[in-house]
Amino acid sequence: MPTSKARTTKTKSSASTRQSRAQATKNKAQSSARSKGKTQAENGASEGNTQLDKLFTDTLKDIYWAEKQLLKALPKMQKNATTDELKSAIEEHITQTEEQVTRLEQVFEICGKKAQGKKCAAMEGLIEEGNEIVEETEKGSMTRDAGIIMAAQKVEHYEIATYGCLVTFAKTLGMDEAVELLEQTLEEEKETDEKLTMIAEGNINQSAGQEEEEEESDEEESESEEEETEESEEEMEKKEK
Ligand SMILES: [Fe+2]
Ligand SMILES: [Fe+2]
């Protein structure tokens, strides 16, 4: 396990300030663990740069990138939503997401690391899927809202999984202050998920169930085209014989 090169080559005074602040937080975590009658080793907390430290930091970078991408994607989702109820729920979550980004920056600071994002392929895919749903549904329809809610809930579930793991990692590493910050965000993501379910079940899904499908005739057309192709293939075979 290589030790962090960045930490040893940092020259800026702000870096050493962050380091001493991180050390202070770690000391606080150690004494809190001891006061609970556990030694640091018993508590599972690490002395230095363990593989779990690295996994924790990498996951922070992943979710930091994801949250920032969401700050770009959510206003688009909000604009495309049909009902005021969904629009205002997304609006509220944009404000929460801004706070979540700030919290992540605080966690980076606790770790003595610079806040930095790393491309999250999962979130990129989930956002892309949300865009596809908008493209494939009719403007102003309840079905579009049902689809946007589904896309948003997939995002929330990804976030819940990530923040849930980050909380348990931070607990293991004895980082009490980080645990507190990450738990706040985890709760917000869970509440958002529940709120979206309530909105969907309130009226949107029901109304979407009454919206007629537009492309039914197109599907029938393509089905008959397929039949024609099969027929002509049979004819060709007969001719060959
Ligand atoms: Fe979030
Ligand atoms: Fe979220």
Side-chain angles (χ1 to χ4, degrees), residues 67 70 74 93 96-97 100 123 152 155-157 159-160 163 185 188-190 192-193:
E67 294 284 18
L70 281 169
L74 286 170
H93 202 52
Q96 282 179 329
T97 304
Q100 293 170 358
M123 188 55 75
V155 167
E156 292 314 307
H157 280 236
E159 291 182 308
I160 290 166
Y163 282 108
T185 300
E188 282 175 1
E189 309 292 20
K190 285 181 183 172
T192 304
D193 178 50

Side-chain angles (χ1 to χ4, degrees), residues 198-229:
M198 270 172 57
I199 295 174
E201 289 178 349
N203 175 45
I204 289 170
N205 286 358
Q206 193 74 23
S207 304
Q210 281 151 20
E211 285 172 342
E212 300 236 341
E213 217 219 311
E214 240 198 350
E215 290 177 345
E216 219 162 89
S217 56
D218 288 347
E219 266 180 30
E220 277 166 14
E221 267 174 41
S222 66
E223 265 174 28
S224 59
E225 270 170 30
E226 269 173 38
E227 278 166 24
E228 275 172 33
T229 319

Side-chain angles (χ1 to χ4, degrees), residues 4-168:
S4 171
K5 209 174 181 180
R7 196 173 282 182
T8 54
T9 53
K10 265 176 194 162
T11 51
K12 286 180 190 166
S13 63
S14 63
S16 63
T17 313
R18 274 201 301 273
Q19 267 185 319
S20 57
R21 213 178 290 156
Q23 192 54 48
T25 310
K26 217 158 194 177
N27 290 344
K28 200 176 147 197
Q30 285 170 5
S31 69
S32 131
R34 274 186 219 111
S35 69
K36 283 174 194 157
K38 288 177 178 177
T39 64
Q40 194 184 12
E42 280 165 349
N43 198 43
S46 60
E47 291 276 352
N49 268 358
T50 63
Q51 292 194 30
L52 190 65
D53 277 308
K54 187 178 180 298
L55 182 61
F56 179 74
T57 314
D58 284 348
T59 312
L60 273 184
K61 289 179 184 172
D62 172 285
I63 199 71
Y64 186 62
W65 187 92
E67 294 284 18
K68 286 190 138 187
Q69 287 304 112
L70 281 169
L71 279 179
K72 293 181 201 164
L74 286 170
K76 205 173 151 194
M77 263 188 176
Q78 188 201 22
K79 194 175 138 249
N80 286 314
T82 303
T83 58
D84 287 340
E85 208 183 357
L86 181 55
K87 278 179 191 281
S88 73
I90 297 173
E91 172 85 54
E92 195 191 325
H93 202 52
I94 292 172
T95 311
Q96 282 179 329
T97 304
E98 283 164 358
E99 287 162 11
Q100 293 170 358
V101 167
T102 306
R103 265 182 225 132
L104 285 172
E105 285 163 357
Q106 288 169 329
V107 177
F108 274 111
E109 203 175 332
I110 289 168
C111 300
K113 303 247 158 100
K114 186 172 152 247
Q116 197 183 359
K118 191 178 124 200
K119 190 175 175 180
C120 166
M123 188 55 75
E124 189 179 45
L126 289 170
I127 292 172
E128 178 54 32
E129 204 176 291
N131 293 337
E132 277 172 19
I133 286 171
V134 169
E135 280 166 27
E136 288 162 9
T137 51
E138 208 179 310
K139 192 182 173 199
S141 67
M142 289 297 187
T143 308
R144 178 172 281 187
D145 270 15
I148 289 176
I149 290 174
M150 177 173 69
Q153 285 192 293
K154 286 184 184 184
V155 167
E156 292 314 307
H157 280 236
Y158 179 81
E159 291 182 308
I160 290 166
T162 303
Y163 282 108
C165 290
L166 281 171
V167 166
T168 59

